[in-house]
Amino acid sequence: QGSVALRRNFLLWQGEPLPPTATEGLRYTPNPVVPYVELITGLRGVFSAYSNDDTQQVLTASVGIRGQFGHFSRPFFDYTGFNLTFSQNARTGESPFRFDRVVDDRVISGGLIQQIYGPFRLGFQTSISLDTDREIETEYILEYSRRTYAITLRINPQREQGSLGLRISDFNWNIDPEPFGGDETGTV
C-alpha cells in the first residue's frame, strides 16, 4: 500500500488571543485560544495491492471549513469549535477485504464542541454517506480541561467503543526555565 496527500488551508479570519495569564488566556488551556475561521482543502491518493493480484486505487478530494470562536476563559459559553467537510472519491478496483474496502464515495463530515460551564466542553464528530443517506459513525465527546491537564471521554456507539484520554501539559507559565542542572552555561 502506498499513499500521498496534499493539504492547503486558507485563513479567512483570525481574532486576537487574550493575554497569557492564569485568569485570562490560560484559565482553562495551556495556550491562549486564538479565534479563527479557515477554508481547508485536500487531495489524497491511496494505492493498495493484494496477494491475489487485486488492486484498489482511490483519489479523494475534500473541501471544508473549520474554526473556533471565543477564548475559553469566561465561565459560560466562551468557546465554540466547529468543522464541516465534503469529500469526493474517484476509485478503481476493489479490496478483497471488507475492512479496508472503500464504499462511500461522497461523504460529509462535521463536528461541534461547545464550552458548557467552566472547564467542561461537550461535543460530537459525525460522518454521513451522501450515497446511501446513512450515518457512517458518530463520536460523542466530553472534556474537562485545565491549563496543566485535561481528561477527555469519547464514546462511539456504532463501533461500540469508548476511550478515556489524559493530557498533561507543560507546567511552565511562559517563563524561560533555568538550564538543566542549574548552570547558566548549560554545562554540567
Side-chain angles (χ1 to χ4, degrees):
Q1 186 174 59
S3 178
V4 63
L6 300 170
R7 290 186 192 182
R8 174 76 176 160
N9 298 345
F10 301 93
L11 188 63
L12 303 176
W13 171 80
Q14 182 171 316
E16 293 295 324
L18 293 176
T21 64
T23 58
E24 292 187 75
L26 302 176
R27 188 165 183 190
Y28 301 121
T29 61
N31 298 303
V33 172
V34 179
Y36 73 93
V37 176
E38 69 180 349
L39 178 70
I40 52 177
T41 62
L43 190 63
R44 184 181 69 208
V46 178
F47 174 81
S48 302
Y50 304 92
S51 60
N52 67 350
D53 294 330
D54 285 347
T55 62
Q56 176 177 259
Q57 302 89 32
V58 182
L59 182 64
T60 304
S62 59
V63 63
I65 190 166
R66 74 175 166 202
Q68 58 189 17
F69 297 110
H71 293 99
F72 199 28
S73 179
R74 292 190 300 242
F76 297 99
F77 303 107
D78 189 29
Y79 179 87
T80 303
F82 67 93
N83 63 76
L84 184 65
T85 305
F86 171 75
S87 299
Q88 174 74 53
N89 291 330
R91 60 187 165 97
T92 59
E94 184 176 80
S95 168
F97 305 106
R98 287 186 177 205
F99 71 87
D100 70 343
R101 187 177 300 162
V102 176
V103 295
D104 297 303
D105 288 328
R106 296 179 307 136
V107 175
I108 191 159
S109 301
L112 181 74
I113 190 156
Q114 176 67 55
Q115 177 194 20
I116 303 301
Y117 172 73
F120 289 98
R121 292 193 279 194
L122 186 64
F124 71 95
Q125 183 70 37
T126 190
S127 295
I128 298 170
S129 170
L130 297 178
D131 299 321
T132 61
D133 292 329
R134 70 174 176 81
E135 178 183 6
I136 298 171
E137 69 177 338
T138 298
E139 185 174 74
Y140 299 97
I141 305 156
L142 175 62
E143 180 183 66
Y144 179 83
S145 180
R146 302 302 290 190
R147 184 185 62 81
T148 56
Y149 68 95
I151 300 169
T152 305
L153 174 65
R154 295 175 180 267
I155 304 290
N156 187 320
Q158 287 79 13
R159 294 186 182 189
E160 296 180 351
Q161 68 184 23
S163 68
L164 186 63
L166 174 64
R167 170 186 53 84
I168 299 176
S169 300
D170 186 7
F171 290 88
N172 183 356
W173 286 75
N174 293 333
I175 300 170
D176 290 332
E178 293 293 321
F180 183 73
D183 185 8
E184 291 285 327
T185 62
T187 59
V188 179

